[in-house]
Amino acid sequence: MGDLTLSLQRGHPVLLLLALLLSFAAAYWAYRRTLPPLPHGVRRLLTGIRFAAFGVLSLLLLDPLLVRESAETVRPNVAVLVDASASMGIVDRAAEEEEGMRREEIAESLLREEPHSVLAKLAKRYEVSERRFAASLESSEGELGVDATDLSRALEGAALASWERGLDGIVLLTDGIVNAGRDPVRVAEEIDIPVFPIPIGDPTAPRDLAVEQVLANPLVYVKSRVTAEATIRAKGFAGEEVRVLLKEGETVLAEERVRFEGRRESRTVPFAFEVAEPGVRRYTVEVPVREGERLQENNRVLFTVEVVKEKLELLIVAEKPSWDFAFLRRTLERDPNVRARFFVQGRDGKPRAVGEGENASFPYGDEELARTDLVLLVGVPDAAGRDWGERLQRFVRERGGALVLFAADPVASVPPALADLLPVAPPDRKIDFDPAPFAMRLAEPGKRHPMLRMHPDAERTEEIWGELPPLLGWNRIGPVRPGSVLLASHPRLDVEGSEGPVLALRAAGKGRVLFVNGGGMWRWGFRVRAGSTAEGIYDRFWSNAIRWLVSRDGFRNVTVKPERMTYDRGEAVAFRALVTDESLSPISDARVEGMLAGPDGAERRFFLDPDPAEPGAYRRTLGPLPPGEYSYVARAARGDLSLGEDAGELTVSDFSAEFLETERNDGLLRRIARASGGEVLPAEEIASWTGDLGLTARARRVREEREIWNHAVFFVLLVGLFSTEWFLRKRHGLS
């Protein structure tokens, strides 16, 4: 029967006792004297009925709970986990009873067919549940993702799914190929549940050629020579020569031959080729299938290269020689991805070339500017006030070029053509210069802007910039124009009541303009404490600024890109978007919607979610996609207002880590069994196995709870008591 107890959910038993005492007192007082007088026995009966009714009401108001506890013996609970990853589709070396069978078919035979019948044998002794696993444990919420095997998630998931009832053992049918997640041996120790692996597959390495990986720069320039290194692994090809092909589509670009000396060996094969046209180029490294290879899925790897226009073309014109110009020149000359031409204004007011190309002429006309990506002015050279200033206007506004004005020294005035482009409004009078050293203060947009962000955390970025030597002098130029973005300001001085700009940014027509106001910046690259997190910040700042200002495709308020151009089969595809307004300030409340078109023509709609860690950024990860080439279009809107759109493409290769190491991993399965307290069950012994795992039945305490306040018996009891009291009162003449 078990133990039966009554507990109160809304009060202490003392409260019930007090209520019963009050109920008795009230009942006694009601019938102590009556008119007309009643016999003593009738008064005692009525007092008892009213006390019983009040007592039942008091009990029900305290929400009584009837608890019944009992012990019962339950059979052990066993989970059967079946590997459903891609490697289970491999056909191993033929055996008499397994000829032509895939590993997954062998597992099914062991589970359900005589004389093995693992499930039936286990069911005679235990409570049994069966689930599949691959990259995750099978559930109703999504697909398994068969192109990866995460055994740790399967073990943890099985234990978690049975936490209430308890799990006594795990029978594991797998080939032991694990290529994702935590160490399953450690997880087996942590869950403290005996695991009994049944190994599936051939433990000997098959004769196989595989392209393990290809290393290549994902971004290259037109007319440059691209190098790629392919790692080729061979098993069972000792003393044989193998062809390795580099292909674009069906065209063979290069062929190398490699000879393997050992039975199991990996060799690196280098390739070099030229790219002549910009765009996304897809290449394949392939090893032709050889006789005796049973597995062909790992003989090729696709990789993608984005080919962009030649190196960034920069034009730097300085008003006069200075330390700031010298350090800037040194930084740019060290950057392998830019080609910079340097000019310094001579005493006659004409810019003269310095360094490489000293015979170059100036001014740059529209034709020369058309081949330039960014113009950087150190100071205000006289050329900016002549016809060349009008050319700069067209360069920025119409062609989408980038412009930087670096006011490193006192600036007397700014010519109208140049002033019209700046994110700040220069005064009509002579510009004041304050020579006092100062440490610039990052504005809120500056803490998060890619140009200045040196750490994912905005506060840490501010600390890094605070470690730099102070700037030496500041031009009172401003205030910041409407629609421009203030990135950093002077900590003490202002312009017309507004913050004094040190770094400010704006979009001008199709181009972008950056204003840098402060001398002595060269010291950032010279006098930073060794080991400081600010070390190298000078080079990083200018590199970030130049690359952010220069847009190959023109200015975009909305950019949506996959984090990589090529994904392996089974990998999740991650998208990132950045949305800004016309003043380049981030927009965090937009609706960003994408449409992905696959190789079969089917379209898939997806939405990107705001990234709380980065204003204006949005992210979305899509589940594993089938191999093929994909294109996408993404649009951003705020309410009914369209903010812009972006488009691009990506590739999912048919390469899968499941086919790199294909032999059964007996060593791992033995370690899992040993760590968990289980044992390996050889597949060849299953026919004679009885299904006994050595698990014993266990006692389980069963607790049943029942609320009784709403039970019909108590309703009938109360109605009966009050009705009886009313009947007796009427019969004896009481009102």
Side-chain angles (χ1 to χ4, degrees), residues 25-88:
Y28 175 78
W29 182 264
Y31 291 104
R32 184 173 60 89
R33 291 187 180 90
T34 61
L35 287 175
L38 296 178
H40 181 68
V42 174
R43 285 191 293 112
R44 291 177 63 182
L45 178 60
L46 287 171
T47 299
I49 292 174
R50 179 164 291 191
F51 169 65
F54 284 175
V56 171
L57 277 175
S58 300
L59 176 65
L60 296 182
L61 287 174
L62 294 176
D63 197 4
L65 183 69
L66 193 64
V67 180
R68 180 176 177 270
E69 291 187 345
S70 61
E72 66 177 17
T73 301
V74 295
R75 299 203 304 172
N77 187 22
V78 174
V80 178
L81 304 184
V82 185
D83 192 343
S85 63
S87 66
M88 292 294 285

Side-chain angles (χ1 to χ4, degrees), residues 131 143 150 209 284 299 349 375 452-453 671 698 733:
R131 298 180 74 177
E143 298 180 357
D150 188 345
L209 290 170
T284 303
N299 283 55
V375 174
L452 301 177
R453 190 173 62 235
R671 292 195 299 275
R698 52 190 168 86

Side-chain angles (χ1 to χ4, degrees), residues 115-126 681 685-694:
H116 309 104
S117 305
V118 169
L119 291 176
K121 291 178 179 179
L122 289 172
K124 293 178 181 179
R125 299 171 179 268
Y126 312 113
L681 305 175
E685 299 178 9
I686 294 298
S688 59
W689 177 58
T690 63
D692 185 11
L693 298 176

Side-chain angles (χ1 to χ4, degrees), residues 486-516:
L486 179 68
L487 301 178
S489 64
H490 197 289
R492 301 180 304 275
L493 304 180
D494 62 75
V495 180
E496 298 179 8
S498 300
E499 293 182 274
V502 175
L503 294 173
L505 181 69
R506 75 173 293 199
K510 295 182 179 180
R512 297 172 176 176
V513 181
L514 173 67
F515 175 61
V516 182

